[in-house]
């Protein structure tokens, strides 16, 4: 069976798209899995992450864009590695290192993106909460002409995260082998795990085994 068909679905536990991007490569069960392994993987992930629509990326599917998409994927891998180093540093310092070269790197990528502002209509709740009306809104539209434009969309998510996140609460999961990042937006900021269903349950099971082992040792001594 193809290994790609047996890998789990990508994790979206970061509470922010930029962190989910970092988490697109991880080792959930010790073995490293890269959900951006191929160009097709990248396009699928961008849609799942909500960074692009299927109609936006459809033009890059197929053999005609394969070489350009492969080159873009290499650039995105490098960008992900650099962003991971930056986020790790900022999380350890509890603040953004404003002189870090990654900020300039992100601005360089953003400068290559094709985008424009557009006035449109969006649903808006009436002030009394009783009805829905239409209101004007201003949107930033990204244009995709080549696969290289995909990196600008990722860089925009990274820039938004860096400017808005509270890095006191950007953390690595405390699972012994887990590499996933998350932004702890819980009320008491006590989140420890990427998810309770995965690393949280593993920690509970390990603690239970340790308690039982200690009880057995105590009983043997008695």
């Amino acid at each position: 069976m193809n290994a790609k068909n047996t890998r789990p679905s990508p994790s979206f536990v970061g509470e922010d798209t930029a962190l989910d991007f970092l988490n697109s490569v991880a080792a959930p069960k010790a073995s490293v899995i890269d959900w951006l392994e191929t160009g097709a993987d990248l396009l699928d992930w961008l849609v799942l992450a909500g960074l692009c629509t299927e109609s936006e990326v459809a033009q890059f599917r197929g053999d005609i864009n394969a070489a350009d998409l492969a080159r873009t994927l290499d650039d995105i891998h490098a960008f992900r590695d650099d962003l991971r180093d930056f986020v790790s540093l900022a999380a350890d310092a509890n603040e953004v290192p404003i002189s870090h070269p990654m900020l300039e790197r992100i601005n360089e990528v953003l400068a290559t993106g094709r985008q424009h502002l557009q006035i449109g209509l969006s649903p808006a709740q009436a002030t009394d909460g009783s009805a829905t009306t239409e209101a004007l809104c201003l949107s930033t539209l990204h244009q995709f002409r080549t696969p290289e434009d995909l990196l600008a969309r990722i860089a925009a998510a990274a820039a938004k995260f860096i400017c808005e996140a509270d890095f006191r609460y950007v953390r690595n999961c405390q699972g012994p082998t887990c590499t996933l990042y998350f932004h702890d937006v819980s009320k008491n900021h006590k989140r420890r795990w990427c998810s309770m269903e995965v690393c949280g349950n593993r920690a509970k099971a390990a603690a239970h085994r340790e308690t039982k082992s200690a009880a057995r040792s105590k009983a043997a001594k008695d």
Side-chain angles (χ1 to χ4, degrees):
M1 183 179 293
N2 191 317
K4 183 182 293 187
N5 294 331
T6 63
R7 72 185 179 188
S9 300
S11 297
F12 295 98
V13 297
E15 298 293 345
D16 190 276
T17 305
L19 294 183
D20 288 332
F21 172 60
L22 295 188
N23 295 340
S24 63
V25 59
K29 294 185 178 179
S31 298
V32 175
I33 299 175
D34 192 342
W35 285 276
L36 307 185
E37 185 176 357
T38 67
D41 287 343
L42 169 65
L43 300 180
D44 291 343
W45 185 89
L46 288 169
V47 173
L48 287 173
L51 278 176
C52 300
T53 64
E54 179 56 39
S55 61
E56 287 175 322
V57 303
Q59 61 183 304
F60 303 130
R61 297 190 185 276
D63 294 338
I64 190 169
N65 288 292
D68 289 340
L69 189 57
R71 283 191 293 270
T72 296
L73 184 61
D74 287 341
D75 291 340
I76 287 175
H77 284 167
F79 186 87
R80 184 176 60 184
D81 290 342
D82 291 342
L83 182 62
R84 179 182 297 278
D85 291 342
F86 174 85
V87 168
S88 177
L89 181 64
D92 287 344
N94 291 330
E95 63 181 4
V96 174
I98 59 175
S99 60
H100 196 283
M102 188 61 190
L103 300 180
E104 182 178 353
R105 168 77 175 116
I106 291 173
N107 281 336
E108 288 173 353
V109 175
L110 292 175
T112 67
R114 299 176 175 89
Q115 59 186 28
H116 63 274
L117 296 174
Q118 180 171 291
I119 297 174
L121 294 175
S122 68
Q125 194 71 28
T127 55
D128 61 1
S130 61
T132 300
T133 60
E134 286 188 327
L136 293 177
C137 68
L138 187 63
S139 302
T140 300
L141 301 184
H142 295 257
Q143 296 177 312
F144 295 120
R145 298 177 184 173
T146 70
E148 291 179 353
D149 294 326
L150 298 171
L151 179 54
R153 179 68 65 91
I154 293 172
K160 184 175 185 295
F161 171 70
I162 289 169
C163 290
E164 296 180 357
D166 187 337
F167 276 86
R168 294 176 298 171
Y169 306 121
V170 175
R171 298 169 181 154
N172 250 145
C173 175
Q174 291 185 14
T177 61
C178 189
T179 60
L180 298 182
Y181 275 94
F182 59 86
H183 189 199
D184 184 2
V185 295
S186 63
K187 185 175 181 179
N188 60 6
H189 300 297
K190 299 295 185 182
R191 181 178 170 185
R192 299 172 60 194
W193 317 109
C194 59
S195 70
M196 284 303 302
E197 292 76 13
V198 182
C199 288
N201 281 339
R202 289 176 187 169
K204 283 184 177 181
H208 180 65
R209 288 193 299 269
E210 185 175 343
T211 299
K212 289 182 67 175
S213 177
R216 285 195 298 268
S217 296
K218 184 179 184 301
K221 290 178 182 179
D222 293 342

